[in-house]
Amino acid sequence: MMQDLEHENYMLKSILENSPSSQTFPFDEYKKVSPSYFKDLKEQLLIKYRDKKLTDIKGSNVIETPYGETLSIVQKEKIDFNLAENNFKNQMNHNLKLLPKIGIKTEEKLKKQGYDTIESLLNHDSHKENARKFLENIDEMPFSSIVDLLNENKYQKQCKDNLIKCVSIPDVSDFKFMDIETLGLSNVPIILIGVAEIKGKNIISSQYFLRDLDEELAVLKAYFSHLDEDSVHVTFNGKTFDVPFIKNRLNYHRLNVDFDLAHLDLMYFAKYLWRDELPDCKLQTIEKYKFGLERVDDVPGQYIPGYYNTYLSENNIGPMVPIIEHNRQDIVSLADFLAKMYEEVNYE
């Protein structure tokens, strides 16, 4: 069966590559949209991994949580994650528009009068009280409050630049590069949560997998063990999907967890920085064009529920192997994205 499938794919690739339309619809694009390709891939995986167990996956281990056992998969790799110091809080002191009632024209007028910083406005009759409140709070202001302050600023270009520049403020170990895989778009279990963290010169990815549908509470609890009040979620479309989805599952299980953390959704940063130079701003497009990375046999999200159900019904880990790897690559890529975005904005 494997040889027949390989021959079929070889012939199809040859036909496509030599057809008049091959320039606009190459074989790799066929793979991305063909249900039959992913059906065949699943069959290959079932054969390849039929004698394997989840604990055969590199870095896997069964762990105990207050809500029972679940599977943990931990991997470590080197990373060059360097956010050069930019003294962002001092930059904020020079942004008069962070104060109420100061817009672009008012800022220009104030600077012509010699008020170059918020601190200098302590001597201004109309703005001194707002300046005093700002300066009293800035040194102790948590990162989440700084993000909120910048998000509320209506001067969009400078705001977006500053939202990227401000990532120099937290300790890098507070970044939680996170992604989830689910059984659908809403009101269904989370089957996999991945979180990556910077530890010195390494990035550690920790993934928690639902071996069966009764383990969702254990998976959630294992993920929450990585979080504290200083944690910063870093996601790709996480504001729209991942975080609301997790909150929905918390409500479903009647769990009271404070999940309102600082959040950097890199999808919006990507559209702001790269939309004019890339075909689109999907995560894998950014990997390809900005980092020279291209995935092999990556399973799109619409096939994940079917792959997971096959894993359960066949008691075969094969269909889940590329999905677990997909999730791991997603969270590690987020760290690379953030470092690249920070570099571009600070040294443009």
Side-chain angles (χ1 to χ4, degrees), residues 3 6 32 58 78 102 119 152 156 164 173-174 179 212 219 228 231 258 301 312 319 335 337:
Q3 289 179 339
E6 289 176 352
K32 292 177 185 178
K58 180 183 177 182
K78 295 289 186 184
I102 298 182
E119 187 174 8
E152 291 166 4
Q156 289 301 312
I164 302 172
S173 63
D174 290 332
D179 185 51
D212 60 61
V219 163
D228 59 33
S231 296
D258 184 5
L312 289 179
F337 288 8

Side-chain angles (χ1 to χ4, degrees), residues 6 79 81 83 135 148 162 210 218 220:
E6 289 176 352
I79 190 171
F81 188 85
L83 303 180
L135 294 169
D148 289 342
N162 286 337
L210 216 69
L220 288 167

Side-chain angles (χ1 to χ4, degrees), residues 86-103:
N86 64 0
N87 199 0
F88 183 74
K89 286 189 176 181
N90 185 59
Q91 292 185 45
M92 291 177 70
N93 188 32
H94 286 79
N95 184 1
L96 309 188
K97 295 188 297 298
L98 292 175
L99 296 186
K101 300 180 180 179
I102 298 182

Side-chain angles (χ1 to χ4, degrees), residues 124-243:
H124 191 282
D125 290 341
S126 300
H127 299 290
K128 61 183 178 183
E129 185 59 23
N130 287 330
R132 181 187 63 78
K133 290 178 181 178
F134 179 90
L135 294 169
E136 282 180 354
N137 294 328
I138 188 61
D139 286 337
E140 302 302 324
M141 189 179 291
F143 182 65
S144 58
S145 297
I146 291 174
V147 171
D148 289 342
L149 177 66
L150 295 173
N151 270 320
E152 291 166 4
N153 192 289
K154 64 182 179 180
Y155 302 100
Q156 289 301 312
K157 184 180 188 305
Q158 186 180 41
C159 172
K160 289 176 180 177
D161 279 353
N162 286 337
L163 277 168
I164 302 172
K165 290 179 179 179
C166 78
V167 304
S168 63
I169 295 174
D171 189 291
V172 296
S173 63
D174 290 332
F175 293 129
K176 310 299 176 181
F177 303 96
M178 183 268 286
D179 185 51
I180 65 174
E181 311 300 337
T182 72
L183 280 182
L185 296 179
S186 64
N187 300 317
V188 290
I190 296 168
I191 60 173
L192 180 64
I193 298 181
V195 55
E197 299 164 289
I198 306 294
K199 306 287 187 182
K201 298 294 184 181
N202 298 306
I203 184 166
I204 312 295
S205 60
S206 302
Q207 296 170 275
Y208 301 103
F209 175 65
L210 216 69
R211 296 176 299 172
D212 60 61
L213 293 176
D214 294 330
E215 288 190 357
E216 188 178 24
L217 273 172
V219 163
L220 288 167
K221 185 63 177 179
Y223 172 61
F224 295 144
S225 70
H226 292 265
L227 307 180
D228 59 33
E229 63 182 8
D230 296 321
S231 296
V232 180
H233 274 137
V234 184
T235 66
F236 200 88
N237 197 33
K239 282 189 175 180
T240 300
F241 184 72
D242 301 72
V243 168

Side-chain angles (χ1 to χ4, degrees), residues 47-61:
I47 294 170
K48 182 176 180 180
Y49 291 96
R50 62 187 169 192
D51 297 321
K52 300 294 184 179
K53 300 176 294 184
L54 284 167
T55 49
D56 290 326
I57 296 173
K58 180 183 177 182
S60 64
N61 188 37

